[in-house]
Amino acid sequence: MWRPVLAKLLPLILLAAITKTANGAEQKPWLGRQVLSRSVRNQPRAGGRVSRRPIACIRTVQRVNGDALWVGDGWLRTNEVVPLEEAKSWFSARILLRPNAFDYVSRAAAYCAERDYEAALADCATALHISPKYDAAYYYRAAARAAQGQFKEAVDAYSSALRLNPRLLGAYLDRAAAQLELGDYSSALADIDHVLRFLPHESDAYYLRGVAQFHLGDYQLALDDLNYVVQATPTRAAAYKLRGACHQELGEHDAAFADFEKADELEGAAAIAHREDSRQTR
C-alpha cells in the first residue's frame, strides 16, 4: 500500500524542493559550487545555442550574474541545476516518479563524486538497459572502472562512449589517462593530440602528454609540455614533480631540486587546506 501513497506524495516533495531552490538556494554563495543539470532540457546556453547532444555531467560555477550561473561552457539558471551535495536525493525522487536514463546517469555522476563506484556502475547498467546507445552511461561506467583501477575495462567503456558521440573531448583525455596506466603510450598520445587540435590551450592535455613523453624517454619534449602546464596552472604539484624528474634525467640537478621543493610546498599547502575544510564541515 505504501507505493501508491508515496507516488502521490512525491510530486509535493519535488514541488517543495523546487520552491526552496527558487526562493532560498539562490541566496547561497554559488561561486565554486559543483552542480548537475536537473533535466536533459537544462543545458548551458552560450551565444544563444544549447548542446546538440547533451551529456549529464558535473559542472563548477565560475561566475554568477543574478540567477544566472556561468559553468565554463555556457550559462544555467539556478532553477535549472541541483547542487552536487543534493543530487543523489533529487534524482532518486525523480527516478521513483518516472525512471529514465538521464536521471540514472546523473545519479551515477553523483555516486562517482562520492566514490561509491559500485552504485554508479549499477545506475549506468540500468540507464543502458533503458537507452542502449546513451553515451553518458558508458562515460560514467568508464569513470567508475578507472577509479577502481580497472583500466582495460575503462578504455573499452570510453571507446563505446566515443563511438556513440565522437565530440566528447573529455572522454578522449580520460581514455588517454587510462591508456597511460596500461603503458599504451602511443594510443594515449593519439588521443591527446586529437584533443589539442580542438582545444590548443587545454593544460590537462599538455600534462598527460608530458607523462607519456617522460615514459617514452623524450625528456625535453616532456619538459616543454610541463613548462606550459606550470604556467597555466601554477598550483599543480604533480606537474612540478614530473618536471623535476625531467630535469633530473637531463642532468639539470639544481632545476630538479627547485621543482621538487615547489611540489612539496604545494602538497603541504593542499594538506593544510584539506584539514581546514574538514574542520569546517564537522
Side-chain angles (χ1 to χ4, degrees):
M1 292 295 291
W2 65 272
R3 285 185 182 275
V5 173
L6 183 60
K8 291 177 182 177
L9 287 176
L10 270 171
L12 299 176
I13 294 169
L14 286 178
L15 181 61
I18 291 168
T19 304
K20 180 182 176 184
T21 301
N23 295 335
E26 62 193 23
Q27 304 302 321
K28 298 177 184 177
W30 283 96
L31 200 62
R33 208 169 187 185
Q34 291 185 307
V35 296
L36 278 160
S37 295
R38 287 187 173 185
S39 84
V40 73
R41 293 182 297 278
N42 301 146
Q43 294 299 314
R45 296 159 185 81
R49 299 180 182 179
V50 296
S51 174
R52 192 164 67 99
R53 299 189 67 183
I55 177 173
C57 66
I58 297 167
R59 293 176 168 93
T60 302
V61 177
Q62 299 173 13
R63 298 205 307 271
V64 179
N65 184 7
D67 71 340
L69 311 172
W70 177 260
V71 292
D73 53 355
W75 293 91
L76 284 164
R77 296 196 177 279
T78 53
N79 64 359
E80 294 177 335
V81 301
V82 56
L84 182 58
E85 63 268 22
E86 301 169 18
K88 249 189 353 182
S89 57
W90 169 265
F91 289 108
S92 294
R94 285 171 59 96
I95 287 166
L96 279 173
L97 278 175
R98 185 181 176 185
N100 65 86
F102 177 86
D103 289 338
Y104 274 107
V105 170
S106 297
R107 192 171 67 175
Y111 278 130
C112 278
E114 291 187 352
R115 301 183 182 180
D116 189 348
Y117 303 118
E118 289 302 324
L121 288 168
D123 274 356
C124 289
T126 304
L128 287 169
H129 179 74
I130 297 169
S131 182
K133 293 186 177 181
Y134 195 13
D135 51 357
Y138 282 109
Y139 178 85
Y140 282 106
R141 172 182 282 179
R145 292 297 188 198
Q148 292 176 324
Q150 300 174 15
F151 299 111
K152 173 65 170 62
E153 293 81 356
V155 168
D156 291 343
Y158 283 129
S159 298
S160 294
L162 288 167
R163 279 193 292 271
L164 292 166
N165 186 359
R167 296 185 179 188
L168 294 178
L169 293 181
Y172 283 102
L173 275 189
D174 292 337
R175 185 171 70 174
Q179 288 162 338
L180 289 175
E181 294 286 351
L182 294 170
D184 188 357
Y185 305 119
S186 59
S187 295
L189 284 172
D191 276 354
I192 295 162
D193 288 340
H194 177 80
V195 171
L196 286 171
R197 283 197 291 273
F198 295 93
L199 299 173
H201 304 297
E202 178 53 60
S203 62
D204 285 345
Y206 285 100
Y207 175 75
L208 291 176
R209 192 167 70 176
V211 173
Q213 289 166 338
F214 177 82
H215 285 288
L216 289 169
D218 296 328
Y219 303 119
Q220 188 58 55
L221 290 175
L223 194 60
D224 293 341
D225 280 343
L226 294 165
N227 286 337
Y228 180 91
V229 176
V230 298
Q231 287 179 356
T233 52
T235 58
R236 191 167 191 163
Y240 284 100
K241 195 175 292 186
L242 186 57
R243 192 173 71 167
C246 291
H247 282 306
Q248 197 167 45
E249 293 292 341
L250 292 168
E252 300 165 354
H253 301 297
D254 288 344
F257 181 76
D259 274 348
F260 291 142
E261 273 205 325
K262 183 65 175 178
D264 288 344
E265 174 191 326
L266 290 169
E267 287 176 341
I272 292 169
H274 180 69
R275 284 199 299 272
E276 289 301 315
D277 287 343
S278 298
R279 286 177 188 151
Q280 290 174 8
T281 54
R282 283 178 186 173

